[in-house]
């Protein structure tokens, strides 16, 4: 009697697991950093550039208010790009080609760009 009860319970469990709906399966959600196309979709006039696959945006009040120190030059803008398709590293919407890109002391999410002696702060648009 005890063995038949255990077999019945095991059989019921196997049946219940086999009847589980596909929608109940665990889903993996992957988030990605926004692309230039996604960022500019809401506002074509934004001042952005891309560096190492990350979009950086200027004219953010709290970022502009930060006291930042240039560390070292890590690159430069290669072209001003009006088309979103094909936007890649070194492309910018407003910065001229040759503008120098610097990392900063103490922050990994902000870069400084030097345009003819004037500096602008750019925040990395990173997803969660």
């Amino acid at each position: 009697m005890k063995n038949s009860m255990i077999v019945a319970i095991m059989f019921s469990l196997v049946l219940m697991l086999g009847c589980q709906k596909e929608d109940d399966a665990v889903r993996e959600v992957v988030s990605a950093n926004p692309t230039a196309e996604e960022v500019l979709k809401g506002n074509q006039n934004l001042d952005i550039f891309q560096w190492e696959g990350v979009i950086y945006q200027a004219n953010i009040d709290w970022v502009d208010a930060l006291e930042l120190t240039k560390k070292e030059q890590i690159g430069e803008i290669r072209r001003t790009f009006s088309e979103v398709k094909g936007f890649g590293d070194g492309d910018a919407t407003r910065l001229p080609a040759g503008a120098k890109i610097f990392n900063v002391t103490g922050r990994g999410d902000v870069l400084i760009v030097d345009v003819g002696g004037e500096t602008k702060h750019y925040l990395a648009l990173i997803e969660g």
Side-chain angles (χ1 to χ4, degrees):
M1 171 96 163
K2 192 174 179 184
N3 285 340
S4 62
M5 182 74 102
I6 291 174
V7 170
I9 291 172
M10 295 289 282
F11 181 72
S12 296
L13 285 173
V14 169
L15 249 174
M16 286 190 302
L17 289 174
C19 294
Q20 182 180 10
K21 293 190 302 186
E22 192 174 317
D23 291 344
D24 293 340
V26 176
R27 294 189 182 143
E28 183 177 333
V29 177
V30 177
S31 61
N33 293 334
T35 64
E37 185 174 3
E38 292 167 341
V39 171
L40 294 172
K41 193 175 217 174
N43 183 351
Q44 291 288 324
N45 297 319
L46 291 177
D47 183 357
I48 65 169
F49 74 92
Q50 182 173 316
W51 190 254
E52 294 184 349
V54 176
I55 300 296
Y56 289 81
Q57 180 180 339
N59 304 319
I60 300 172
D61 292 338
W62 70 268
V63 177
D64 291 339
L66 294 173
E67 296 288 329
L68 299 171
T69 304
K70 288 186 213 176
K71 196 170 170 184
E72 62 186 356
Q73 183 178 342
I74 58 171
E76 63 181 51
I77 299 300
R78 65 184 181 123
R79 63 183 173 167
T80 303
F81 208 75
S82 59
E83 289 292 321
V84 177
K85 292 181 182 178
F87 201 91
D89 285 349
D91 291 344
T93 57
R94 302 281 177 261
L95 294 167
K100 296 180 181 357
I101 305 168
F102 295 85
N103 56 10
V104 298
T105 303
R107 292 203 65 116
D109 60 344
V110 177
L111 295 177
I112 291 177
V113 177
D114 189 337
V115 183
E118 183 180 329
T119 61
K120 294 181 85 171
H121 299 172
Y122 286 80
L123 178 66
L125 302 180
I126 298 173
E127 183 64 33

